[in-house]
Amino acid sequence: MTNFEHITQVLEQTIDGEPIPTFRSPAFAALIAAASAISASPQDCEKLGRSCCLMLLDRLSASMHGEREIQLLKDSSRPLC
C-alpha cells in the first residue's frame, strides 16, 4: 500500500466513524510516516487534498440525495416500507 492509499484509507475510516490508530500502535507510527512522506512533496499534498475533497463531496452528495428521497417518500402517499 502506498502512503497515499494508507492516508486516504484512514481518512475514509475516520469519516465512517471508526477510531484512528492509538498512539502506541504500529499503525499510528505507520500513519505518521506516511503523512511525513506525503508532506514532503507538494504534488502528493495536492493530490491528497483533491482526493479528500472528492471523498467529502461524494459523501455529502449521497447524504443529500438520501435525505431528498426520504422526504419525497414522506410527502407522497406511498408507504415507506
Side-chain angles (χ1 to χ4, degrees):
M1 178 182 309
T2 67
N3 291 328
F4 177 81
E5 291 167 338
H6 186 188
I7 291 175
T8 54
Q9 181 183 44
V10 170
L11 288 171
E12 286 177 354
Q13 291 169 346
T14 302
I15 290 170
D16 289 339
E18 296 178 31
I20 61 171
T22 59
F23 175 70
R24 297 187 189 270
S25 71
F28 185 86
L31 181 58
I32 293 296
S36 295
I38 284 189
S39 66
S41 167
Q43 294 86 6
D44 287 343
C45 285
E46 186 175 328
K47 180 181 174 185
L48 182 61
R50 280 194 313 266
S51 175
C52 289
C53 284
L54 289 174
M55 185 185 336
L56 290 172
L57 289 172
D58 284 345
R59 302 286 173 105
L60 178 63
S61 176
S63 176
M64 292 173 74
H65 284 295
E67 289 291 326
R68 179 180 175 273
E69 290 296 321
I70 289 170
Q71 193 59 45
L72 288 173
L73 286 171
K74 285 181 178 178
D75 290 347
S76 72
S77 60
R78 293 180 289 168
L80 293 176
C81 296

